[in-house]
Amino acid sequence: MAPSGPAGAQPSPAEPLSRSIFRKFLLMLCSLLTSLYVFYCLAERCQPGSGPVAGVPGRGIPAGPRELAAWTAGAQRKRLLQLRQRRRRGRPGPDHNGDQDEQSLGLAAAPGGSGAGSSVAEAQSGTLALLLDEGSKQLPQAIIIGVKKGGTRALLEFLRVHPDVRAVGAEPHFFDRSYHKGLAWYRDLMPRTLEGQITMEKTPSYFVTREAPARISAMSKDTKLIVVVRDPVTRAISDYTQTLSKRPDIPSFESLTFRNRSAGLIDTSWSAIQIGLYAKHLEPWLRHFPLSQMLFVSGERLVSDPAGELRRVQDFLGLKRIITDKHFYFNQTKGFPCLKKAEGSGKPHCLGKTKGRAHPAIAREVLRQLRDFYRPFNRKFYQMTGRDFGWDG
């Protein structure tokens, strides 16, 4: 008879074979996973602290807010570049609506400037380049240099519709008033641009500033210059109307026009008259720039046929013809063309209330004398530019 064990002790049951095998399998699996993790870390493929975003399985999108922002920015940037490449090749995107795509990315919302004289605020400028701190600030490759009350604001607003144009909104007045501040200061005023975009500004007083041609040429001899000109008689009246709105107590147009009313002697020292001597102001520009680098835009045709004049401007700037008739409608109340969809907005956009003011009535005899005065200057200007603007018809 076998001896009995200690009092109260029970023999332990044998451990099942299957449980022992399962534990060994788990141990081997853990060792394998640990080895793989160490291997990937050594291979610099381990990404600690990141993981897939809930709801986007298998996309490899970082989970942290900074990583997510960077991933989103990269995706937007890639989409933007794809759209630009299609535009340059003249091929629409899959949805055949590149304009809407660029607006959804924030591209078309860029008026590119701010300050007095801009009808679109700089706060709306949020292009993708600005939002992502992309691109760089460049000195302008093209400048609208004149003339005052010729239609320069309208031209700039229309050009901003083009996705490859970036322009500062306020008039910098660098080459006439702030040249002493230096080119670095001037460049810093400019909006950021991406590759393929051009930087522009407009300051109408440059055309009548004697130092401006040499200064712009010193910046770059390749700068393209645009001059918006208008019938000098109508321009002078518009100039006077603007001043009258600010200073209602100024003398009449007739009294300011003539140095000697009885002799019919025109006072060319009055700026409203002096600016209209286009041929005189053009001469110093042609000493620094070839005529091929200057484009003369008709202020009258900018009103009657904006798409036609914009076609010439786009060709001159080397841009694809994107701005066409479909972008404009004529506002009967203001007497000016307006944009069907302004840059940075899905709504129609007309120039501000300061544009299209009613002109005061001027005696016919005064108008006749002014036209006789300007006629020889106009004809010389036609010869210099090779274009008859039809102001003497």
Side-chain angles (χ1 to χ4, degrees):
M1 185 174 178
S4 61
Q10 300 292 332
S12 60
E15 185 172 279
L17 181 62
S18 60
R19 180 174 297 180
S20 176
I21 295 175
F22 180 72
R23 286 183 176 179
K24 290 180 180 180
F25 173 78
L26 285 178
L27 182 62
M28 291 176 62
L29 181 60
C30 289
S31 299
L32 177 62
L33 291 176
T34 302
S35 300
L36 288 174
Y37 179 81
V38 172
F39 172 80
Y40 275 101
C41 285
L42 292 175
E44 295 184 351
R45 295 190 180 184
C46 183
Q47 301 287 342
S50 67
V53 174
V56 194
R59 295 294 297 273
I61 305 175
R66 291 184 180 179
E67 292 85 356
L68 179 58
W71 182 90
T72 305
Q76 286 182 322
R77 189 184 306 114
K78 181 178 180 181
R79 176 59 175 158
L80 171 65
L81 294 176
Q82 289 174 343
L83 287 170
R84 289 205 177 285
Q85 290 171 357
R86 291 193 186 101
R87 285 200 171 197
R88 292 194 185 98
R89 292 194 296 264
R91 188 178 73 198
D95 56 0
H96 299 276
N97 199 348
D99 290 338
Q100 290 183 1
D101 275 352
E102 291 195 349
Q103 287 178 357
S104 69
L105 292 173
L107 173 67
S114 68
S118 174
S119 61
V120 185
E122 186 177 20
Q124 295 177 330
S125 65
T127 60
L128 184 59
L130 289 173
L131 287 173
L132 302 181
D133 200 28
E134 287 272 313
S136 60
K137 293 187 176 186
Q138 305 289 336
L139 291 169
Q141 296 90 45
I143 304 176
I144 301 174
I145 60 173
V147 298
K148 180 184 178 183
K149 305 309 295 179
T152 58
R153 172 56 56 186
L155 178 60
L156 188 66
E157 293 293 328
F158 296 162
L159 278 174
R160 281 177 169 165
V161 175
H162 201 293
D164 288 334
V165 171
R166 295 280 290 135
V168 60
E171 296 173 3
H173 285 280
F174 175 66
F175 295 104
D176 57 351
R177 302 177 189 172
S178 303
Y179 193 65
H180 62 281
K181 295 182 178 179
L183 287 174
W185 176 87
Y186 183 48
R187 181 190 287 110
D188 195 53
L189 297 178
M190 300 299 128
R192 291 183 180 275
T193 53
L194 297 171
E195 183 181 356
Q197 292 182 316
I198 65 171
T199 304
M200 293 188 65
E201 71 116 315
K202 78 106 176 170
T203 304
S205 56
Y206 291 163
F207 188 61
V208 298
T209 300
R210 184 164 295 276
E211 299 84 4
R215 289 173 175 178
I216 295 178
S217 178
M219 177 187 72
S220 173
K221 295 182 181 297
D222 298 324
T223 306
K224 293 186 177 182
L225 309 172
I226 300 175
V227 189
V228 186
V229 290
R230 184 182 182 187
D231 181 341
V233 177
T234 309
R235 197 221 67 82
I237 298 172
S238 180
D239 198 338
Y240 171 79
T241 304
Q242 182 182 54
T243 305
L244 183 65
S245 69
K246 300 175 182 178
R247 297 167 50 197
D249 58 337
I250 62 172
S252 67
F253 179 83
E254 290 86 344
S255 62
L256 292 171
T257 297
F258 296 97
R259 181 177 299 173
N260 188 318
R261 182 69 177 89
S262 59
L265 187 62
I266 305 295
D267 187 358
T268 56
S269 66
W270 184 30
S271 63
I273 298 296
Q274 198 260 349
I275 290 173
L277 304 175
Y278 303 143
K280 175 184 175 183
H281 300 304
L282 180 57
E283 289 176 353
W285 289 96
L286 294 179
R287 289 196 287 268
H288 294 273
F289 293 93
L291 195 62
S292 59
Q293 276 179 235
M294 301 186 73
L295 180 70
F296 299 90
V297 175
S298 168
E300 287 82 10
R301 286 184 59 82
L302 201 57
V303 174
S304 63
D305 181 21
E309 285 300 283
L310 264 295
R311 183 164 54 249
R312 295 180 61 242
V313 176
Q314 290 174 98
D315 290 347
F316 174 70
L317 295 175
L319 299 171
K320 185 178 178 181
R321 292 181 180 178
I322 290 178
I323 308 172
T324 61
D325 287 315
K326 69 179 182 180
H327 290 91
F328 301 98
Y329 75 95
F330 192 82
N331 186 301
Q332 297 291 344
T333 303
K334 294 185 70 68
F336 280 94
C338 300
L339 291 168
K340 290 182 179 178
K341 186 171 67 172
E343 185 183 20
S345 172
K347 299 179 181 179
H349 171 65
C350 289
L351 297 179
K353 62 181 181 179
T354 61
K355 308 300 179 181
R357 297 186 186 96
H359 290 178
I362 307 298
R364 289 187 178 183
E365 179 60 20
V366 174
L367 296 177
R368 184 193 65 78
Q369 289 177 291
L370 275 175
R371 295 200 181 281
D372 290 343
F373 167 76
Y374 277 120
R375 186 171 291 110
F377 295 99
N378 291 344
R379 289 177 177 174
K380 184 178 180 180
F381 183 66
Y382 300 163
Q383 292 175 349
M384 295 172 74
T385 60
R387 182 178 183 184
D388 187 336
F389 290 89
W391 300 323
D392 305 307

